[in-house]
Amino acid sequence: MEEGDTPIDVARVQLQKSLQAYQQGDFVSARTLAISAYLDGFEMAENSLDSLDVHLRQATERELLGLRAQLNADSDPQQVEDQVEAILQQLAQAEALMEDSNLSGAALFIASLVILLREGLEALLVVIALTTILVKTGRRDALKFVHLGWIGAFAAGFATWVAAQSVITISGASREVMEGVAALLAAMVLFYVGFWMHSKTQASEWQKYIQDSINRSLSTGALWGIAGLAFIAVYREIFETILFYQSLLAQTSESQYNTLWGGIVAGVALLAVVGFALMRYSVSLPIGKFFSATTYVLLALSFVLAGKAVAALQEAAWIAISPLPVQFSIDWLGIYSTWQGLGLQATILVAALWLMRKGGATAEAAGKAA
C-alpha cells in the first residue's frame, strides 16, 4: 500500500488494472491483480466497514472473490466489465460511508475491540489448554515450553511487522497463504491432541497413562512440539492483528487515538478475564472431566481453524472456490458457504462424532465388566 492510499483506493486501482489486463488478453495478470484488489485493498477495510454496514461488506467481498473465476478466455467481456463496474460502485459506497462516518468513536471502539477479541480468543484457548494439560499431568516444569512458544510468537510477529515496513513487502496473497497453512497445521495438531485426550477420559486409562507413559510421552521432543503449537497458534493471530490495526490506524484521526487504544485495552481486559476464568475452572475440574471438556474444546478449535484455513487459501487462490447456492458465513465458527470449506469441516465433525461414539461404547463396556 502506497503512503496515503486507503485500502479502498488500493482495491479500486488494482481492480481497474485487472480489467485492463483482461481486455488485453493477459488473463494471468488479470487474476493476480483481482486477487490483490481484495487482499491488499478491500480486506484491510473490512473490520471498519463491518461496524457500519456488514451487508455491504459481505456483498463486496463476494463479488471480488467471484470475479476471479470470470477472468478467462471463455467469459463474456461485457459481463466482466459489468461485474467490475458493479464492484467499483460498491467500493464507492463503502468509501462514502466510511468518510461520512469518519469512523465515529463508537464504530472505532467496536472495530478495535472486535479485532483483538476475534484474533486473540483462539490463540488464548490453545495456550490455556496446553498449560492446563501440563499442570494436570504434574509437569509444571514443562510450562516454560508453552511460554517460550507464545513469547517467541510475539517477538516473531513484531519482527515480521518491522520487516514488512522497512525491508520487505509482504503481499496479501503471501499473508493469506502463511495464515492458511499455519491454521491448517494447527487444526491437524489440535485434532490429534483432542483424540489423544479423549482416550484418557476414563480413570483407569488415566492411571495407566500416569504410571507407564508420562515421562516418555512428554519427552524433550514432545515438549518442543508443544512449544511449536503454541508458537503457530499465537503467531498467525498476532501477525493478522497487527495488519488489521495498521489499516485501522490509517483511517483514524489523531483525536481518535485514545478511542482506538480504549478498544485495545478493553479487548486485553476481556481476554484476561476469560483466560483467568478458564484457567481457574479447568484446573479445579476432576481429571476425567477436564480431559473430556478439553477434548471438546480442542476438537471445536480444530473445526474452526480448518474452515479458516480453507478460506484463507481460497482468498490466496491456492484452493478453488465452489460456492453453495445459499450465501452465508459465521466468522467465529470459521463457517463459509463453499463446498471445500464445509467439506473439510464435515469430515472433522464426522470423525469427532465417531470418536465420541467409540469412547461412549468403550466406557459402557468397561462399566459392564466392572
Side-chain angles (χ1 to χ4, degrees), residues 175-256:
R175 182 186 70 245
E176 293 296 332
V177 169
M178 179 194 71
E179 293 172 2
V181 171
L184 192 58
L185 179 59
M188 293 169 58
V189 175
L190 288 170
F191 188 87
Y192 172 78
V193 175
F195 181 91
W196 173 83
M197 293 194 72
H198 184 70
S199 69
K200 303 293 182 292
T201 55
Q202 299 303 313
S204 60
E205 290 295 325
W206 171 244
Q207 292 300 327
K208 181 180 178 181
Y209 168 73
I210 286 289
Q211 294 169 8
D212 301 336
S213 306
I214 188 167
N215 291 329
R216 182 172 65 253
S217 296
L218 291 182
S219 62
T220 301
L223 291 173
W224 280 110
I226 288 175
L229 177 57
F231 178 88
I232 291 171
V234 176
Y235 176 74
R236 68 175 295 274
E237 305 297 348
I238 287 176
F239 182 51
E240 190 172 35
T241 299
I242 288 174
L243 291 174
F244 280 133
Y245 274 118
Q246 182 184 7
S247 173
L248 192 61
L249 189 62
Q251 304 165 59
T252 304
S253 63
E254 289 188 14
S255 63
Q256 294 178 305

Coordinates of all heavy atoms in Angstrom, one line a residue, residues 175-256:
R175 N 0.4 -13.3 2.7 CA -0.1 -13.3 4.1 C -1.2 -14.4 4.3 O -1.2 -15.1 5.3 CB -0.7 -11.9 4.4 CG -1.2 -11.8 5.8 CD -2.0 -10.5 6.0 NE -3.2 -10.4 5.3 CZ -3.5 -9.6 4.2 NH1 -2.6 -8.8 3.8 NH2 -4.7 -9.6 3.6
E176 N -2.1 -14.5 3.3 CA -3.1 -15.5 3.4 C -2.6 -16.9 3.4 O -3.1 -17.8 4.1 CB -4.2 -15.2 2.3 CG -5.0 -13.9 2.5 CD -5.8 -13.9 3.7 OE1 -6.2 -14.9 4.2 OE2 -6.0 -12.8 4.2
V177 N -1.6 -17.1 2.5 CA -1.0 -18.5 2.4 C -0.4 -18.8 3.8 O -0.5 -19.9 4.3 CB 0.0 -18.5 1.3 CG1 0.9 -19.8 1.4 CG2 -0.6 -18.4 -0.1
M178 N 0.4 -17.9 4.3 CA 1.0 -18.1 5.6 C 0.0 -18.4 6.7 O 0.1 -19.4 7.4 CB 1.8 -16.9 6.0 CG 2.5 -17.1 7.4 SD 3.1 -15.5 8.0 CE 1.6 -14.7 8.5
E179 N -1.1 -17.6 6.7 CA -2.1 -17.8 7.7 C -2.9 -19.1 7.5 O -3.2 -19.9 8.4 CB -3.1 -16.7 7.7 CG -2.5 -15.4 8.2 CD -3.4 -14.2 8.0 OE1 -4.5 -14.4 7.6 OE2 -3.0 -13.0 8.3
G180 N -3.1 -19.4 6.2 CA -3.9 -20.7 5.9 C -3.1 -21.9 6.2 O -3.7 -22.8 6.8
V181 N -1.8 -21.9 5.9 CA -1.0 -23.1 6.2 C -0.9 -23.3 7.7 O -0.9 -24.4 8.2 CB 0.4 -23.0 5.5 CG1 1.3 -24.1 6.0 CG2 0.2 -23.1 4.0
A182 N -0.6 -22.2 8.4 CA -0.5 -22.2 9.9 C -1.8 -22.7 10.5 O -1.7 -23.6 11.4 CB -0.1 -20.9 10.4
A183 N -2.9 -22.2 10.0 CA -4.2 -22.7 10.6 C -4.5 -24.1 10.3 O -5.0 -24.9 11.2 CB -5.3 -21.8 10.0
L184 N -4.1 -24.6 9.1 CA -4.3 -26.0 8.7 C -3.4 -26.9 9.6 O -3.9 -28.0 10.1 CB -4.0 -26.2 7.2 CG -4.5 -27.5 6.6 CD1 -6.0 -27.7 6.8 CD2 -4.1 -27.6 5.2
L185 N -2.2 -26.5 9.8 CA -1.3 -27.3 10.6 C -1.8 -27.3 12.1 O -1.8 -28.4 12.7 CB 0.1 -26.7 10.6 CG 1.2 -27.4 11.4 CD1 1.4 -28.8 11.0 CD2 2.5 -26.6 11.3
A186 N -2.2 -26.2 12.6 CA -2.7 -26.1 13.9 C -4.0 -27.0 14.1 O -4.2 -27.7 15.1 CB -3.0 -24.7 14.3
A187 N -4.8 -27.0 13.1 CA -6.1 -27.8 13.1 C -5.7 -29.3 13.2 O -6.4 -30.0 14.0 CB -6.9 -27.5 11.9
M188 N -4.8 -29.7 12.4 CA -4.4 -31.1 12.4 C -3.8 -31.5 13.8 O -4.2 -32.6 14.4 CB -3.3 -31.4 11.3 CG -3.8 -31.2 9.9 SD -2.5 -31.2 8.7 CE -1.7 -32.7 9.0
V189 N -2.9 -30.7 14.4 CA -2.3 -31.0 15.6 C -3.4 -31.0 16.7 O -3.4 -31.9 17.6 CB -1.2 -30.0 16.0 CG1 -0.7 -30.2 17.4 CG2 -0.1 -30.1 15.0
L190 N -4.3 -30.0 16.7 CA -5.3 -29.9 17.7 C -6.3 -31.1 17.7 O -6.7 -31.6 18.7 CB -6.1 -28.6 17.6 CG -5.4 -27.3 18.0 CD1 -6.2 -26.1 17.6 CD2 -5.1 -27.3 19.5
F191 N -6.6 -31.6 16.5 CA -7.4 -32.8 16.4 C -6.7 -34.0 17.0 O -7.3 -34.8 17.7 CB -7.8 -33.0 14.9 CG -8.8 -34.1 14.8 CD1 -10.2 -33.8 14.8 CD2 -8.5 -35.4 14.6 CE1 -11.1 -34.8 14.7 CE2 -9.4 -36.5 14.5 CZ -10.8 -36.1 14.6
Y192 N -5.4 -34.1 16.7 CA -4.7 -35.2 17.2 C -4.6 -35.2 18.7 O -4.8 -36.2 19.4 CB -3.3 -35.2 16.6 CG -2.4 -36.3 17.3 CD1 -2.5 -37.6 17.0 CD2 -1.5 -35.9 18.3 CE1 -1.7 -38.5 17.6 CE2 -0.7 -36.8 18.9 CZ -0.8 -38.2 18.6 OH 0.0 -39.1 19.2
V193 N -4.4 -34.0 19.3 CA -4.3 -33.8 20.7 C -5.7 -34.1 21.4 O -5.8 -34.8 22.4 CB -3.8 -32.4 21.1 CG1 -3.9 -32.3 22.7 CG2 -2.4 -32.2 20.7
G194 N -6.7 -33.7 20.7 CA -8.1 -33.9 21.2 C -8.4 -35.4 21.2 O -9.0 -36.0 22.1
F195 N -8.0 -36.1 20.1 CA -8.1 -37.6 20.0 C -7.4 -38.2 21.2 O -7.9 -39.1 21.8 CB -7.6 -38.0 18.7 CG -7.8 -39.5 18.5 CD1 -8.9 -40.0 17.9 CD2 -6.8 -40.4 18.9 CE1 -9.0 -41.4 17.7 CE2 -6.9 -41.8 18.7 CZ -8.0 -42.3 18.1
W196 N -6.2 -37.8 21.4 CA -5.3 -38.4 22.5 C -6.0 -38.2 23.8 O -6.1 -39.1 24.7 CB -3.9 -37.8 22.4 CG -3.1 -38.2 23.6 CD1 -2.3 -39.3 23.7 CD2 -2.8 -37.4 24.8 NE1 -1.6 -39.3 24.9 CE2 -2.0 -38.2 25.6 CE3 -3.3 -36.2 25.3 CZ2 -1.5 -37.8 26.8 CZ3 -2.9 -35.8 26.5 CH2 -2.0 -36.5 27.3
M197 N -6.5 -36.9 24.1 CA -7.1 -36.6 25.4 C -8.4 -37.4 25.6 O -8.7 -37.9 26.7 CB -7.4 -35.1 25.5 CG -6.1 -34.3 25.5 SD -6.4 -32.6 26.1 CE -6.8 -32.9 27.8
H198 N -9.1 -37.7 24.5 CA -10.4 -38.4 24.7 C -10.1 -39.8 25.1 O -10.9 -40.4 25.9 CB -11.1 -38.4 23.3 CG -12.4 -39.1 23.4 ND1 -13.5 -38.6 24.1 CD2 -12.9 -40.3 22.9 CE1 -14.5 -39.4 24.0 NE2 -14.2 -40.5 23.3
S199 N -8.9 -40.4 24.7 CA -8.6 -41.7 25.1 C -8.2 -41.8 26.6 O -8.1 -42.9 27.1 CB -7.5 -42.3 24.2 OG -6.2 -41.6 24.5
K200 N -8.0 -40.7 27.2 CA -7.6 -40.7 28.6 C -8.7 -40.2 29.6 O -8.5 -39.9 30.7 CB -6.4 -39.7 28.8 CG -5.2 -40.1 27.9 CD -4.6 -41.4 28.3 CE -3.4 -41.7 27.5 NZ -3.7 -42.0 26.1
T201 N -10.0 -40.1 29.0 CA -11.0 -39.6 29.9 C -11.5 -40.6 31.0 O -12.0 -40.2 32.0 CB -12.3 -39.2 29.0 OG1 -12.6 -40.4 28.3 CG2 -12.0 -38.1 28.1
Q202 N -11.2 -41.9 30.7 CA -11.6 -42.8 31.7 C -10.5 -42.9 32.8 O -9.3 -42.8 32.5 CB -11.8 -44.2 31.1 CG -12.8 -44.3 30.0 CD -14.2 -43.9 30.6 OE1 -14.6 -44.3 31.6 NE2 -14.9 -43.0 29.8
A203 N -10.9 -43.0 34.1 CA -10.0 -43.0 35.2 C -8.9 -44.1 35.1 O -7.8 -43.9 35.4 CB -10.8 -43.2 36.5
S204 N -9.4 -45.3 34.6 CA -8.4 -46.4 34.5 C -7.3 -46.1 33.5 O -6.2 -46.4 33.7 CB -9.1 -47.7 34.2 OG -9.8 -47.5 32.9
E205 N -7.8 -45.5 32.4 CA -6.8 -45.1 31.3 C -5.9 -44.1 31.8 O -4.7 -44.1 31.5 CB -7.6 -44.7 30.1 CG -8.3 -45.7 29.3 CD -7.4 -46.8 28.7 OE1 -6.3 -46.4 28.3 OE2 -7.8 -48.0 28.7
W206 N -6.4 -43.1 32.6 CA -5.6 -42.0 33.1 C -4.5 -42.6 34.0 O -3.3 -42.2 34.0 CB -6.4 -41.0 33.8 CG -5.6 -40.0 34.5 CD1 -5.6 -39.8 35.8 CD2 -4.7 -39.1 34.0 NE1 -4.8 -38.8 36.2 CE2 -4.2 -38.3 35.0 CE3 -4.3 -38.8 32.7 CZ2 -3.2 -37.3 34.8 CZ3 -3.3 -37.8 32.5 CH2 -2.8 -37.1 33.6
Q207 N -4.9 -43.5 34.9 CA -4.0 -44.0 35.9 C -2.9 -44.8 35.2 O -1.7 -44.7 35.5 CB -4.7 -44.9 36.9 CG -5.6 -44.2 37.8 CD -4.9 -43.1 38.7 OE1 -3.7 -43.3 39.0 NE2 -5.6 -42.0 39.0
K208 N -3.3 -45.6 34.2 CA -2.3 -46.3 33.4 C -1.3 -45.4 32.7 O -0.1 -45.6 32.7 CB -3.0 -47.2 32.4 CG -2.1 -48.0 31.5 CD -2.8 -48.9 30.5 CE -1.9 -49.7 29.7 NZ -2.6 -50.5 28.7
Y209 N -1.9 -44.3 32.2 CA -1.0 -43.3 31.5 C 0.0 -42.7 32.5 O 1.2 -42.6 32.2 CB -1.9 -42.2 30.9 CG -1.1 -41.0 30.4 CD1 -0.4 -41.0 29.3 CD2 -1.2 -39.8 31.1 CE1 0.3 -39.9 28.8 CE2 -0.5 -38.7 30.7 CZ 0.3 -38.8 29.6 OH 1.0 -37.7 29.2
I210 N -0.5 -42.3 33.7 CA 0.4 -41.7 34.7 C 1.5 -42.7 35.0 O 2.7 -42.3 35.1 CB -0.4 -41.4 35.9 CG1 -1.3 -40.2 35.7 CG2 0.5 -41.2 37.1 CD1 -0.5 -38.9 35.6
Q211 N 1.2 -43.9 35.2 CA 2.2 -44.9 35.7 C 3.2 -45.3 34.6 O 4.4 -45.5 34.9 CB 1.5 -46.2 36.2 CG 0.6 -45.9 37.5 CD -0.3 -47.1 37.8 OE1 -0.2 -48.1 37.2 NE2 -1.2 -46.9 38.8
D212 N 2.7 -45.4 33.4 CA 3.5 -46.1 32.4 C 4.1 -45.1 31.3 O 5.1 -45.4 30.7 CB 2.8 -47.1 31.6 CG 2.3 -48.2 32.5 OD1 2.9 -48.4 33.6 OD2 1.3 -48.9 32.2
S213 N 3.4 -44.0 31.1 CA 3.7 -43.2 29.9 C 4.1 -41.8 30.0 O 4.6 -41.2 29.1 CB 2.5 -43.3 28.9 OG 2.1 -44.6 28.7
I214 N 4.0 -41.2 31.2 CA 4.1 -39.7 31.3 C 5.5 -39.2 30.9 O 5.6 -38.3 30.1 CB 3.7 -39.2 32.7 CG1 3.6 -37.7 32.6 CG2 4.6 -39.7 33.7 CD1 2.9 -37.1 33.8
N215 N 6.5 -39.9 31.4 CA 7.8 -39.4 31.1 C 8.2 -39.6 29.7 O 8.9 -38.8 29.1 CB 8.9 -40.1 32.0 CG 8.7 -39.7 33.5 OD1 8.3 -38.5 33.8 ND2 9.0 -40.6 34.4
R216 N 7.8 -40.7 29.1 CA 8.1 -41.0 27.7 C 7.3 -40.1 26.8 O 7.8 -39.5 25.8 CB 7.8 -42.5 27.4 CG 8.2 -42.8 26.0 CD 8.1 -44.3 25.7 NE 6.7 -44.8 25.9 CZ 6.2 -45.5 26.9 NH1 7.0 -45.8 27.9 NH2 5.0 -45.9 26.9
S217 N 6.0 -39.9 27.1 CA 5.1 -39.1 26.2 C 5.5 -37.7 26.3 O 5.3 -37.0 25.3 CB 3.7 -39.3 26.7 OG 3.3 -40.6 26.5
L218 N 6.0 -37.2 27.4 CA 6.4 -35.8 27.5 C 7.9 -35.7 27.5 O 8.5 -35.1 28.3 CB 5.8 -35.2 28.8 CG 4.3 -35.0 28.8 CD1 3.9 -34.3 30.1 CD2 3.8 -34.2 27.6
S219 N 8.5 -36.3 26.5 CA 9.9 -36.3 26.3 C 10.3 -34.9 25.7 O 9.4 -34.1 25.5 CB 10.3 -37.3 25.2 OG 9.7 -37.1 24.0
T220 N 11.6 -34.7 25.6 CA 12.0 -33.3 25.1 C 11.4 -33.0 23.8 O 11.0 -31.9 23.5 CB 13.6 -33.3 25.0 OG1 14.1 -33.6 26.3 CG2 14.0 -32.0 24.5
G221 N 11.4 -34.0 22.9 CA 10.8 -33.8 21.5 C 9.4 -33.4 21.6 O 8.9 -32.4 20.9
A222 N 8.6 -34.0 22.4 CA 7.2 -33.7 22.5 C 7.0 -32.3 23.1 O 6.1 -31.6 22.8 CB 6.5 -34.7 23.4
L223 N 7.8 -31.9 24.1 CA 7.8 -30.6 24.7 C 8.1 -29.5 23.7 O 7.4 -28.5 23.7 CB 8.7 -30.6 25.9 CG 8.3 -31.4 27.1 CD1 9.3 -31.4 28.2 CD2 6.9 -30.9 27.7
W224 N 9.0 -29.8 22.8 CA 9.3 -28.8 21.8 C 8.1 -28.7 20.8 O 7.9 -27.7 20.2 CB 10.6 -29.1 21.1 CG 11.8 -28.7 21.8 CD1 12.8 -29.4 22.4 CD2 12.2 -27.3 22.0 NE1 13.7 -28.7 23.0 CE2 13.4 -27.4 22.8 CE3 11.7 -26.1 21.7 CZ2 14.1 -26.2 23.2 CZ3 12.3 -24.9 22.1 CH2 13.5 -25.0 22.9
G225 N 7.4 -29.8 20.6 CA 6.2 -29.8 19.8 C 5.2 -29.0 20.4 O 4.4 -28.2 19.7
I226 N 5.0 -29.0 21.7 CA 4.1 -28.2 22.5 C 4.4 -26.7 22.3 O 3.6 -25.9 22.0 CB 4.0 -28.5 24.0 CG1 3.4 -29.9 24.2 CG2 3.3 -27.4 24.8 CD1 3.4 -30.4 25.6
A227 N 5.7 -26.4 22.4 CA 6.2 -25.0 22.1 C 5.9 -24.6 20.7 O 5.5 -23.5 20.5 CB 7.7 -24.9 22.4
G228 N 6.1 -25.5 19.8 CA 5.8 -25.2 18.4 C 4.3 -24.9 18.1 O 4.0 -24.0 17.4
L229 N 3.4 -25.7 18.8 CA 2.0 -25.5 18.6 C 1.6 -24.1 19.2 O 0.8 -23.4 18.6 CB 1.2 -26.6 19.3 CG -0.3 -26.5 19.2 CD1 -0.8 -26.3 17.8 CD2 -1.0 -27.7 19.9
A230 N 2.1 -23.8 20.4 CA 1.8 -22.5 21.0 C 2.3 -21.4 20.1 O 1.6 -20.4 19.9 CB 2.5 -22.4 22.4
F231 N 3.5 -21.6 19.5 CA 4.0 -20.5 18.6 C 3.1 -20.3 17.4 O 2.8 -19.2 17.0 CB 5.5 -21.0 18.1 CG 6.1 -20.0 17.2 CD1 6.8 -18.9 17.6 CD2 5.9 -20.2 15.8 CE1 7.4 -18.0 16.7 CE2 6.5 -19.3 14.9 CZ 7.2 -18.2 15.4
I232 N 2.8 -21.4 16.7 CA 2.0 -21.3 15.5 C 0.6 -20.7 15.8 O 0.1 -19.8 15.1 CB 1.7 -22.7 14.9 CG1 3.1 -23.3 14.3 CG2 0.7 -22.7 13.8 CD1 3.0 -24.7 13.9
A233 N 0.0 -21.2 16.9 CA -1.4 -20.6 17.2 C -1.4 -19.2 17.5 O -2.3 -18.4 17.1 CB -1.9 -21.4 18.4
V234 N -0.3 -18.7 18.2 CA -0.3 -17.3 18.5 C 0.3 -16.4 17.4 O -0.2 -15.3 17.2 CB 0.6 -17.1 19.8 CG1 0.8 -15.6 20.2 CG2 0.0 -17.9 21.0
Y235 N 1.3 -16.9 16.7 CA 1.9 -16.1 15.6 C 1.0 -15.7 14.5 O 0.9 -14.5 14.1 CB 3.1 -16.9 15.0 CG 3.8 -16.1 13.9 CD1 4.6 -15.0 14.1 CD2 3.6 -16.5 12.6 CE1 5.2 -14.3 13.1 CE2 4.1 -15.8 11.5 CZ 5.0 -14.7 11.8 OH 5.5 -14.0 10.8
R236 N 0.2 -16.6 14.1 CA -0.8 -16.3 13.0 C -1.8 -15.2 13.4 O -2.2 -14.4 12.6 CB -1.5 -17.5 12.4 CG -2.4 -18.2 13.3 CD -3.2 -19.3 12.7 NE -4.0 -18.9 11.6 CZ -5.2 -18.4 11.7 NH1 -5.8 -18.4 12.9 NH2 -5.9 -18.0 10.7
E237 N -2.2 -15.3 14.6 CA -3.2 -14.3 15.1 C -2.5 -13.0 15.3 O -3.1 -11.9 15.0 CB -3.8 -14.8 16.4 CG -4.4 -16.2 16.4 CD -5.6 -16.3 15.4 OE1 -6.1 -15.2 15.0 OE2 -6.0 -17.4 15.1
I238 N -1.3 -13.0 15.9 CA -0.6 -11.7 16.1 C -0.3 -11.0 14.8 O -0.5 -9.8 14.7 CB 0.7 -11.9 16.9 CG1 0.4 -12.3 18.3 CG2 1.6 -10.7 16.8 CD1 1.7 -12.6 19.1
F239 N 0.2 -11.7 13.8 CA 0.5 -11.1 12.6 C -0.7 -10.5 11.9 O -0.6 -9.3 11.4 CB 1.2 -12.1 11.6 CG 1.6 -11.6 10.3 CD1 2.4 -10.4 10.3 CD2 1.3 -12.2 9.1 CE1 2.9 -9.9 9.1 CE2 1.7 -11.7 7.9 CZ 2.5 -10.5 7.9
E240 N -1.8 -11.2 11.9 CA -3.0 -10.7 11.3 C -3.6 -9.5 12.1 O -4.0 -8.5 11.5 CB -4.1 -11.8 11.2 CG -5.3 -11.4 10.4 CD -6.2 -12.6 10.1 OE1 -6.3 -13.4 11.1 OE2 -6.8 -12.7 9.1
T241 N -3.5 -9.6 13.4 CA -3.9 -8.5 14.2 C -3.2 -7.2 14.0 O -3.8 -6.1 13.8 CB -3.8 -8.9 15.7 OG1 -4.6 -10.0 16.0 CG2 -4.3 -7.7 16.6
I242 N -1.8 -7.3 13.8 CA -1.0 -6.1 13.6 C -1.4 -5.5 12.2 O -1.6 -4.3 12.1 CB 0.5 -6.5 13.5 CG1 1.0 -6.8 15.0 CG2 1.3 -5.4 12.9 CD1 2.4 -7.4 15.0
L243 N -1.6 -6.3 11.2 CA -2.0 -5.8 9.9 C -3.4 -5.1 10.0 O -3.5 -4.0 9.4 CB -2.0 -6.9 8.9 CG -0.7 -7.5 8.5 CD1 -0.9 -8.7 7.6 CD2 0.2 -6.4 7.8
F244 N -4.3 -5.7 10.7 CA -5.6 -5.0 10.8 C -5.6 -3.7 11.5 O -6.2 -2.7 11.2 CB -6.6 -6.0 11.4 CG -7.2 -7.0 10.4 CD1 -7.2 -8.4 10.8 CD2 -7.6 -6.7 9.2 CE1 -7.7 -9.3 9.9 CE2 -8.1 -7.6 8.3 CZ -8.1 -9.0 8.7
Y245 N -4.8 -3.7 12.6 CA -4.7 -2.5 13.4 C -3.9 -1.4 12.6 O -4.2 -0.2 12.7 CB -4.0 -2.7 14.7 CG -4.9 -3.1 15.8 CD1 -4.8 -4.4 16.4 CD2 -6.0 -2.3 16.2 CE1 -5.7 -4.8 17.4 CE2 -6.9 -2.7 17.2 CZ -6.7 -3.9 17.8 OH -7.6 -4.3 18.8
Q246 N -3.0 -1.8 11.8 CA -2.3 -0.8 10.9 C -3.2 -0.2 10.0 O -3.2 1.0 9.7 CB -1.2 -1.6 10.2 CG -0.3 -0.6 9.3 CD 0.7 -1.4 8.5 OE1 0.7 -2.6 8.5 NE2 1.6 -0.7 7.8
S247 N -4.1 -1.0 9.4 CA -5.1 -0.5 8.5 C -6.1 0.4 9.2 O -6.5 1.5 8.7 CB -5.9 -1.6 7.8 OG -6.9 -1.1 7.0
L248 N -6.5 0.0 10.4 CA -7.5 0.8 11.2 C -6.9 2.1 11.6 O -7.5 3.2 11.6 CB -7.9 0.0 12.4 CG -9.1 0.6 13.2 CD1 -10.3 0.6 12.3 CD2 -9.3 -0.3 14.4
L249 N -5.6 2.1 11.9 CA -4.9 3.3 12.3 C -4.8 4.3 11.2 O -4.9 5.6 11.4 CB -3.4 3.0 12.7 CG -2.6 4.1 13.4 CD1 -3.3 4.6 14.7 CD2 -1.2 3.6 13.7
A250 N -4.7 3.8 9.9 CA -4.6 4.7 8.8 C -6.0 5.5 8.6 O -6.0 6.5 7.9 CB -4.3 3.9 7.5
Q251 N -7.0 4.9 9.1 CA -8.4 5.5 9.0 C -8.8 6.3 10.2 O -9.9 6.7 10.4 CB -9.4 4.4 8.7 CG -9.1 3.6 7.4 CD -9.9 2.3 7.4 OE1 -11.1 2.4 7.4 NE2 -9.3 1.2 7.4
T252 N -7.8 6.5 11.1 CA -8.1 7.1 12.4 C -7.4 8.5 12.5 O -6.2 8.6 12.2 CB -7.7 6.2 13.6 OG1 -8.3 4.9 13.4 CG2 -8.0 6.8 14.9
S253 N -8.2 9.5 12.9 CA -7.6 10.8 13.1 C -6.8 10.9 14.4 O -7.1 10.0 15.3 CB -8.6 11.9 13.1 OG -9.5 11.7 14.1
E254 N -5.9 11.8 14.6 CA -5.2 11.9 15.8 C -6.1 12.1 17.1 O -5.7 11.6 18.1 CB -4.2 13.1 15.7 CG -3.0 12.8 14.8 CD -2.0 13.9 14.8 OE1 -2.0 14.7 15.8 OE2 -1.1 14.0 13.9
S255 N -7.2 12.8 16.9 CA -8.1 13.0 18.0 C -8.8 11.7 18.5 O -9.4 11.7 19.5 CB -9.1 14.0 17.6 OG -9.9 13.6 16.6
Q256 N -8.7 10.7 17.6 CA -9.4 9.4 18.0 C -8.5 8.3 18.5 O -8.9 7.2 18.7 CB -10.1 8.9 16.7 CG -11.3 9.7 16.2 CD -11.9 9.2 15.0 OE1 -11.2 8.9 14.0 NE2 -13.2 9.0 15.0

